[in-house]
Amino acid sequence: MYMGAMCRIKPAEVEEEEEALGVVWHYREVGDHGEAGIRQTLSKGVSPEVFDRLQVKGYLRIEAGKVGFSDEGERLARDVTRRHRLAERLLVDMLDLGADSIDENACRWEHILSPEATTAICTLLGHPRHCPHGTAIPPGECCTKWTQQAESVITSLDKLAPGSSGKVAYLALAEKSVMQKLLSLGLTPGSTVSLQQKAPSIVVQAGETVIALEAELARHISVRKNPD
Amino acid sequence: MTSSGHCGHAEPESAEIAAGRIALVGHPNVGKSVVFNRLTGSYVTVSNYPGTTVDVTRGIGRLQGRSWQVIDTPGVRSLTPQSEDELASRDLLLRERPDVVIQVADAKNLKQTLMLTAALADLGLPMVLALNMSDEAESRGYHCDVRRLSGILGIPVVQTVATAGAGLEELKACLSHAARANRVEYCAEIESALRRLKPAPASGESDRFVGLALLSGDEGVCGCLPHADPEKTGGALVRAQELRRDFVRPPEFLVHAGREAWAMEVVGEVQTRSRAGRPGWLQTLDKWSMRGLPGYALAAGTLLVMYYFVGVLAAGHGVDFMENTLFGEYLNPTAVRWVRAAVPSPFLQDMLVGEYGIVTMALTYALAIVFPIVTAFFLFFGCLEDSGYLPRLSAMLDKAFRLVGLNGKAVIPMVLGLGCDTMATLSTRILDSRKERLLATMLLTLGIPCSAQLGVIMGILAKHGLREWAVWLAAVGGTTLAAGWAASKLLPGARSPFIMEIPPLRIPEPGNILLKIKIRLVWYLKEAVPLFMLGTLALFLFDRIGVLKRVEVLLAPVTTTLLGLPSETAWCFILGFLRRDYGAAGLFTLAEKGALDSRQIVVSLVAITLFMPCLAQFLVMVKERGARAACFISAFVFATAFAVGAALNQFLAFTNLL
């Protein structure tokens, strides 16, 4: 007997619409509002009639051959783009996946992340502003709040105040051997580190191990600040 | 635990005659070498910084009525090697499969200890765990339930304080109970990949370890399996690569996470912590020793102490007493009288007590000038090594070392070079990349005078003003920096990032310091004295057959014209080939005689400091970096030494600074 909760799945056409809104958002970012170009791109990925459906539903408006969003359309497009690019960051920064698996996963995740999960990921990553490809991640409410407080729960190790401590959230280092060395010294996700000093070298303590490291490395170690 | 089904190359059991082998394995700076010394009664260097042992050392110990070969290994953080010294340890374990592994551990870092235990368990070798430095752990308030830990791991666990000899008898008694440790169960992904990887290369009990290494992309393990079938190994490699692709998160992370979760659970079960602390002043010093201003002040203070202790006290007063009073007034005149009376041939008389006499020159140089200096230096240095200050200096100087393409880690071989460049060349193994090892070797040869040479140089300069000091320091330092900077740009490869474990500051143990000094002095006497005698004998013969004068004339364009030095200095440089300090000692006596003026002293000292590696260092360079690199570095250093000397001479003459 099945004991779990029933999972709700978005209908395929909703996913298609989200996908298409993402494409339009991208075109607007690069300053291209031409209907023909957008239609052509859409016909390669999703079914061509999606574009018309978006118009019927009132998400898109066309004025003098230029494609624009309605308020509702803009909100949906922004959200899907935000989810996609946050997913990319998560896959690159934390899971250290290669370029081919990033696209594949991010394209699926953009449709399934709930608003709560999106906010949690954004917070975990320290409210990043750009995706790994360098384009802007549309900010969410959590980002605005965060900027106002000017303080993030997650920060890089080198931004911790001397004498304070935090829990290692993740290490985002390109080189595997460096990563393994840090892990073997006890700088593992979840472990508590305290920052002893920042200059001339950064010195941290993890458990009973004291480690000196250069600032460049510390920038790639993200920690969740402990409340003082 | 798996049963011992298929041992491809197991040693014959219970070898009463050709003893079994015990390997000491563990994290860096946990005291493996102290345990080694205790078990074998021999001595290998022990210090308080990671990376003192860079090579495998073997000794014989009689334990439990049997004689064992005991093997000391360089420290490892994991069994996935990241540097040459770590590689040596992993290779040894796989290739030689010692009968017993003693994991020596830092008792206060139980979690990391257990993560290595888990890796050793996968290796499937009978083992014992020694929780060393348990006094330090206790003083920080850690208590470990050893019996419970032993039960969980399935191996004997002993608490030790090796420096004091505590727990060593218990450790010896445990050896016969050594067992294969219980293995950690990893997540389903890893376990199923391991099953699919089989049949793994014939590695017997280490199958699991080899499988994990292959899954983690560490293909180097295959080279360490002497009995593996190359075809099977190749097949396993290909399979491992395929399996790796199916993982969403890299297998090495899953393995690491599995070990970590397990270790944390075990720590929670066996360890309790109460509040305790170390002496307050040591903690304060610990805190300030690496910070900006106080840190630099401490470094400068350390240098100043060295200058007064080695330069003024030993090289000044000590040498003055030994050379002028002891040798000059008593020993040498007595020797001259005896030789004149006992030896009929004037030729032999001169050979023993003449201008280039074995007693009056070689022994006087070796014992009256250099010996007091190196004794003081070794004493100072031993304290520095054992205090744990060197890694702190690394943290202080990391940024400066980046200018020459290295990172702070290279401070250790460089400072060790001030003790002995030959040993320091060996210790460049702790550096992470080939480029850094090459750069460090070159800089050691060029700009770092060894203790004996530095002491003699200090002795000469201490008799002169601050200005001579400053010019010497600026010329040697500037050349070293410039050469390092240029070489770091020319050599391909990148600097590796700076990560350094900082051991706690400790008060050096007088026993260990004295033992260290004794070992080093005996080594000095054995190596240096015969070389000094040989060199002097050659010099004497050259003088007799008139070659010396001709060489002086031949070299005059370099010494006299380029460097502006008296032609006698030629033989100092020739002796410099044999030993760095020998050449400097020659300059010392010339300076004492008043044969050199201020400018000549500084120019000759700069040239001899930058000059060639000594014979022993050259041989180590060939061994470590290859003949081509060694010859290239030597040729470069040779040319640079004279070029800089000549330029300095011109500069000083032109500016009238000296």
Side-chain angles (χ1 to χ4, degrees), chain B residues 143-165:
Chain B
H143 306 283
C144 180
D145 184 342
V146 175
R147 283 186 58 184
R148 194 137 169 224
L149 182 58
S150 170
I152 294 172
L153 298 176
I155 57 172
V157 179
V158 189
Q159 282 181 313
T160 57
V161 184
T163 48

PDB file of all heavy atoms in Angstrom, chain B residues 143-165:
ATOM      1  N   HIS B 143      38.637  13.525  27.336  1.00  0.00           N
ATOM      2  CA  HIS B 143      38.814  12.203  27.922  1.00  0.00           C
ATOM      3  C   HIS B 143      38.276  11.177  26.944  1.00  0.00           C
ATOM      4  O   HIS B 143      37.206  11.358  26.381  1.00  0.00           O
ATOM      5  CB  HIS B 143      38.056  12.097  29.249  1.00  0.00           C
ATOM      6  CG  HIS B 143      38.422  13.195  30.193  1.00  0.00           C
ATOM      7  ND1 HIS B 143      39.597  13.176  30.901  1.00  0.00           N
ATOM      8  CD2 HIS B 143      37.796  14.339  30.502  1.00  0.00           C
ATOM      9  CE1 HIS B 143      39.671  14.280  31.626  1.00  0.00           C
ATOM     10  NE2 HIS B 143      38.597  15.021  31.397  1.00  0.00           N
ATOM     11  N   CYS B 144      39.043  10.109  26.770  1.00  0.00           N
ATOM     12  CA  CYS B 144      38.635   9.101  25.803  1.00  0.00           C
ATOM     13  C   CYS B 144      38.456   7.758  26.498  1.00  0.00           C
ATOM     14  O   CYS B 144      39.328   7.328  27.259  1.00  0.00           O
ATOM     15  CB  CYS B 144      39.692   8.991  24.700  1.00  0.00           C
ATOM     16  SG  CYS B 144      39.275   7.787  23.454  1.00  0.00           S
ATOM     17  N   ASP B 145      37.341   7.125  26.222  1.00  0.00           N
ATOM     18  CA  ASP B 145      37.095   5.789  26.753  1.00  0.00           C
ATOM     19  C   ASP B 145      37.784   4.793  25.818  1.00  0.00           C
ATOM     20  O   ASP B 145      37.221   4.356  24.817  1.00  0.00           O
ATOM     21  CB  ASP B 145      35.584   5.541  26.811  1.00  0.00           C
ATOM     22  CG  ASP B 145      35.256   4.207  27.453  1.00  0.00           C
ATOM     23  OD1 ASP B 145      36.153   3.332  27.535  1.00  0.00           O
ATOM     24  OD2 ASP B 145      34.097   4.033  27.879  1.00  0.00           O
ATOM     25  N   VAL B 146      39.014   4.445  26.185  1.00  0.00           N
ATOM     26  CA  VAL B 146      39.852   3.664  25.280  1.00  0.00           C
ATOM     27  C   VAL B 146      39.304   2.255  25.053  1.00  0.00           C
ATOM     28  O   VAL B 146      39.331   1.748  23.936  1.00  0.00           O
ATOM     29  CB  VAL B 146      41.286   3.598  25.843  1.00  0.00           C
ATOM     30  CG1 VAL B 146      42.147   2.708  24.994  1.00  0.00           C
ATOM     31  CG2 VAL B 146      41.884   4.985  25.899  1.00  0.00           C
ATOM     32  N   ARG B 147      38.768   1.647  26.118  1.00  0.00           N
ATOM     33  CA  ARG B 147      38.278   0.268  25.976  1.00  0.00           C
ATOM     34  C   ARG B 147      37.097   0.220  25.014  1.00  0.00           C
ATOM     35  O   ARG B 147      36.980  -0.680  24.188  1.00  0.00           O
ATOM     36  CB  ARG B 147      37.881  -0.291  27.333  1.00  0.00           C
ATOM     37  CG  ARG B 147      39.114  -0.683  28.143  1.00  0.00           C
ATOM     38  CD  ARG B 147      38.730  -1.371  29.427  1.00  0.00           C
ATOM     39  NE  ARG B 147      37.934  -2.567  29.180  1.00  0.00           N
ATOM     40  CZ  ARG B 147      37.412  -3.300  30.158  1.00  0.00           C
ATOM     41  NH1 ARG B 147      37.586  -2.939  31.414  1.00  0.00           N
ATOM     42  NH2 ARG B 147      36.707  -4.376  29.888  1.00  0.00           N
ATOM     43  N   ARG B 148      36.247   1.201  25.163  1.00  0.00           N
ATOM     44  CA  ARG B 148      35.074   1.249  24.300  1.00  0.00           C
ATOM     45  C   ARG B 148      35.494   1.467  22.848  1.00  0.00           C
ATOM     46  O   ARG B 148      34.983   0.827  21.933  1.00  0.00           O
ATOM     47  CB  ARG B 148      34.198   2.404  24.775  1.00  0.00           C
ATOM     48  CG  ARG B 148      32.847   2.365  24.201  1.00  0.00           C
ATOM     49  CD  ARG B 148      31.816   2.685  25.253  1.00  0.00           C
ATOM     50  NE  ARG B 148      30.535   2.899  24.617  1.00  0.00           N
ATOM     51  CZ  ARG B 148      29.720   3.887  24.923  1.00  0.00           C
ATOM     52  NH1 ARG B 148      30.059   4.739  25.870  1.00  0.00           N
ATOM     53  NH2 ARG B 148      28.574   4.007  24.296  1.00  0.00           N
ATOM     54  N   LEU B 149      36.441   2.382  22.661  1.00  0.00           N
ATOM     55  CA  LEU B 149      36.935   2.668  21.309  1.00  0.00           C
ATOM     56  C   LEU B 149      37.528   1.403  20.696  1.00  0.00           C
ATOM     57  O   LEU B 149      37.278   1.078  19.532  1.00  0.00           O
ATOM     58  CB  LEU B 149      37.979   3.789  21.368  1.00  0.00           C
ATOM     59  CG  LEU B 149      38.558   4.242  20.035  1.00  0.00           C
ATOM     60  CD1 LEU B 149      37.465   4.734  19.101  1.00  0.00           C
ATOM     61  CD2 LEU B 149      39.592   5.339  20.232  1.00  0.00           C
ATOM     62  N   SER B 150      38.318   0.703  21.501  1.00  0.00           N
ATOM     63  CA  SER B 150      38.943  -0.524  21.039  1.00  0.00           C
ATOM     64  C   SER B 150      37.870  -1.528  20.611  1.00  0.00           C
ATOM     65  O   SER B 150      38.010  -2.207  19.586  1.00  0.00           O
ATOM     66  CB  SER B 150      39.816  -1.086  22.149  1.00  0.00           C
ATOM     67  OG  SER B 150      40.242  -2.371  21.821  1.00  0.00           O
ATOM     68  N   GLY B 151      36.796  -1.600  21.385  1.00  0.00           N
ATOM     69  CA  GLY B 151      35.701  -2.506  21.043  1.00  0.00           C
ATOM     70  C   GLY B 151      35.044  -2.133  19.727  1.00  0.00           C
ATOM     71  O   GLY B 151      34.760  -2.991  18.898  1.00  0.00           O
ATOM     72  N   ILE B 152      34.822  -0.842  19.534  1.00  0.00           N
ATOM     73  CA  ILE B 152      34.164  -0.389  18.300  1.00  0.00           C
ATOM     74  C   ILE B 152      35.037  -0.664  17.080  1.00  0.00           C
ATOM     75  O   ILE B 152      34.569  -1.126  16.046  1.00  0.00           O
ATOM     76  CB  ILE B 152      33.843   1.118  18.390  1.00  0.00           C
ATOM     77  CG1 ILE B 152      32.796   1.369  19.484  1.00  0.00           C
ATOM     78  CG2 ILE B 152      33.349   1.648  17.042  1.00  0.00           C
ATOM     79  CD1 ILE B 152      32.557   2.836  19.768  1.00  0.00           C
ATOM     80  N   LEU B 153      36.343  -0.365  17.230  1.00  0.00           N
ATOM     81  CA  LEU B 153      37.232  -0.489  16.079  1.00  0.00           C
ATOM     82  C   LEU B 153      37.667  -1.930  15.837  1.00  0.00           C
ATOM     83  O   LEU B 153      38.057  -2.290  14.733  1.00  0.00           O
ATOM     84  CB  LEU B 153      38.478   0.377  16.273  1.00  0.00           C
ATOM     85  CG  LEU B 153      38.258   1.882  16.409  1.00  0.00           C
ATOM     86  CD1 LEU B 153      39.587   2.577  16.681  1.00  0.00           C
ATOM     87  CD2 LEU B 153      37.627   2.443  15.145  1.00  0.00           C
ATOM     88  N   GLY B 154      37.635  -2.744  16.898  1.00  0.00           N
ATOM     89  CA  GLY B 154      38.103  -4.119  16.765  1.00  0.00           C
ATOM     90  C   GLY B 154      39.618  -4.235  16.734  1.00  0.00           C
ATOM     91  O   GLY B 154      40.163  -5.205  16.216  1.00  0.00           O
ATOM     92  N   ILE B 155      40.313  -3.215  17.257  1.00  0.00           N
ATOM     93  CA  ILE B 155      41.778  -3.250  17.287  1.00  0.00           C
ATOM     94  C   ILE B 155      42.238  -2.738  18.656  1.00  0.00           C
ATOM     95  O   ILE B 155      41.488  -2.045  19.336  1.00  0.00           O
ATOM     96  CB  ILE B 155      42.410  -2.349  16.198  1.00  0.00           C
ATOM     97  CG1 ILE B 155      41.907  -0.904  16.351  1.00  0.00           C
ATOM     98  CG2 ILE B 155      42.108  -2.880  14.821  1.00  0.00           C
ATOM     99  CD1 ILE B 155      42.604   0.082  15.448  1.00  0.00           C
ATOM    100  N   PRO B 156      43.475  -3.088  19.086  1.00  0.00           N
ATOM    101  CA  PRO B 156      43.975  -2.537  20.345  1.00  0.00           C
ATOM    102  C   PRO B 156      44.163  -1.030  20.234  1.00  0.00           C
ATOM    103  O   PRO B 156      44.596  -0.531  19.195  1.00  0.00           O
ATOM    104  CB  PRO B 156      45.331  -3.219  20.529  1.00  0.00           C
ATOM    105  CG  PRO B 156      45.318  -4.398  19.610  1.00  0.00           C
ATOM    106  CD  PRO B 156      44.414  -4.034  18.478  1.00  0.00           C
ATOM    107  N   VAL B 157      43.800  -0.307  21.298  1.00  0.00           N
ATOM    108  CA  VAL B 157      44.002   1.143  21.347  1.00  0.00           C
ATOM    109  C   VAL B 157      44.775   1.463  22.619  1.00  0.00           C
ATOM    110  O   VAL B 157      44.428   0.973  23.692  1.00  0.00           O
ATOM    111  CB  VAL B 157      42.653   1.892  21.359  1.00  0.00           C
ATOM    112  CG1 VAL B 157      42.878   3.399  21.429  1.00  0.00           C
ATOM    113  CG2 VAL B 157      41.826   1.543  20.125  1.00  0.00           C
ATOM    114  N   VAL B 158      45.836   2.239  22.491  1.00  0.00           N
ATOM    115  CA  VAL B 158      46.690   2.565  23.637  1.00  0.00           C
ATOM    116  C   VAL B 158      46.861   4.075  23.714  1.00  0.00           C
ATOM    117  O   VAL B 158      47.000   4.734  22.692  1.00  0.00           O
ATOM    118  CB  VAL B 158      48.104   1.955  23.454  1.00  0.00           C
ATOM    119  CG1 VAL B 158      48.908   2.100  24.725  1.00  0.00           C
ATOM    120  CG2 VAL B 158      48.024   0.517  23.024  1.00  0.00           C
ATOM    121  N   GLN B 159      46.854   4.611  24.941  1.00  0.00           N
ATOM    122  CA  GLN B 159      47.172   6.036  25.099  1.00  0.00           C
ATOM    123  C   GLN B 159      48.664   6.184  25.385  1.00  0.00           C
ATOM    124  O   GLN B 159      49.195   5.473  26.231  1.00  0.00           O
ATOM    125  CB  GLN B 159      46.356   6.630  26.235  1.00  0.00           C
ATOM    126  CG  GLN B 159      44.927   6.918  25.809  1.00  0.00           C
ATOM    127  CD  GLN B 159      44.104   7.517  26.907  1.00  0.00           C
ATOM    128  OE1 GLN B 159      44.134   7.023  28.021  1.00  0.00           O
ATOM    129  NE2 GLN B 159      43.376   8.572  26.603  1.00  0.00           N
ATOM    130  N   THR B 160      49.324   7.096  24.696  1.00  0.00           N
ATOM    131  CA  THR B 160      50.767   7.255  24.900  1.00  0.00           C
ATOM    132  C   THR B 160      51.149   8.721  25.025  1.00  0.00           C
ATOM    133  O   THR B 160      50.425   9.608  24.572  1.00  0.00           O
ATOM    134  CB  THR B 160      51.571   6.693  23.701  1.00  0.00           C
ATOM    135  OG1 THR B 160      51.134   7.356  22.515  1.00  0.00           O
ATOM    136  CG2 THR B 160      51.381   5.200  23.537  1.00  0.00           C
ATOM    137  N   VAL B 161      52.287   8.952  25.667  1.00  0.00           N
ATOM    138  CA  VAL B 161      52.972  10.243  25.596  1.00  0.00           C
ATOM    139  C   VAL B 161      54.394   9.864  25.203  1.00  0.00           C
ATOM    140  O   VAL B 161      55.254   9.625  26.049  1.00  0.00           O
ATOM    141  CB  VAL B 161      52.966  10.982  26.951  1.00  0.00           C
ATOM    142  CG1 VAL B 161      53.596  12.361  26.800  1.00  0.00           C
ATOM    143  CG2 VAL B 161      51.547  11.104  27.483  1.00  0.00           C
ATOM    144  N   ALA B 162      54.636   9.772  23.907  1.00  0.00           N
ATOM    145  CA  ALA B 162      55.876   9.165  23.433  1.00  0.00           C
ATOM    146  C   ALA B 162      57.108   9.927  23.891  1.00  0.00           C
ATOM    147  O   ALA B 162      58.133   9.321  24.220  1.00  0.00           O
ATOM    148  CB  ALA B 162      55.853   9.056  21.913  1.00  0.00           C
ATOM    149  N   THR B 163      57.020  11.256  23.957  1.00  0.00           N
ATOM    150  CA  THR B 163      58.213  12.018  24.342  1.00  0.00           C
ATOM    151  C   THR B 163      58.655  11.657  25.756  1.00  0.00           C
ATOM    152  O   THR B 163      59.834  11.738  26.073  1.00  0.00           O
ATOM    153  CB  THR B 163      57.945  13.534  24.275  1.00  0.00           C
ATOM    154  OG1 THR B 163      56.722  13.804  24.954  1.00  0.00           O
ATOM    155  CG2 THR B 163      57.872  14.022  22.846  1.00  0.00           C
ATOM    156  N   ALA B 164      57.686  11.262  26.603  1.00  0.00           N
ATOM    157  CA  ALA B 164      58.043  10.891  27.965  1.00  0.00           C
ATOM    158  C   ALA B 164      58.157   9.380  28.115  1.00  0.00           C
ATOM    159  O   ALA B 164      58.478   8.873  29.191  1.00  0.00           O
ATOM    160  CB  ALA B 164      56.996  11.440  28.936  1.00  0.00           C
ATOM    161  N   GLY B 165      57.869   8.642  27.058  1.00  0.00           N
ATOM    162  CA  GLY B 165      57.966   7.190  27.128  1.00  0.00           C
ATOM    163  C   GLY B 165      56.747   6.518  27.741  1.00  0.00           C
ATOM    164  O   GLY B 165      56.735   5.302  27.921  1.00  0.00           O
TER     165      GLY B 165
END
